[in-house]
Amino acid sequence: PDDYARARRVLMRRDPVLAPVIRAIGPCRMAERQRNDHLTALAGSIVSQQLSTKAAATIFGRFMALFPEAPPLRADAVLAHDDAVLRGVG
């Protein structure tokens, strides 16, 4: 969140055209949705690439249910499941 706030201040200072727009929109909220667990973020991105948001959320929920100890998701935990189980989530 601090990096986003700093970037916002720098951009507002350097771009007088965007500065009023940035002020009107308000602070960046991307940090609130950002995952610190990179493997889980990657898995979510892969699932959502070719599906509707609702279908991707359902499949990703089933996928994550395979790993009750997560987050963070661990690669060895994913590899412990055979392909049929992984395909079975959708």
Side-chain angles (χ1 to χ4, degrees), residues 50-68:
Q50 299 175 24
L51 304 167
S52 73
T53 303
K54 183 161 176 55
T58 300
I59 293 169
F60 188 64
R62 286 188 218 141
F63 174 74
M64 289 304 294
L66 296 174
F67 312 98

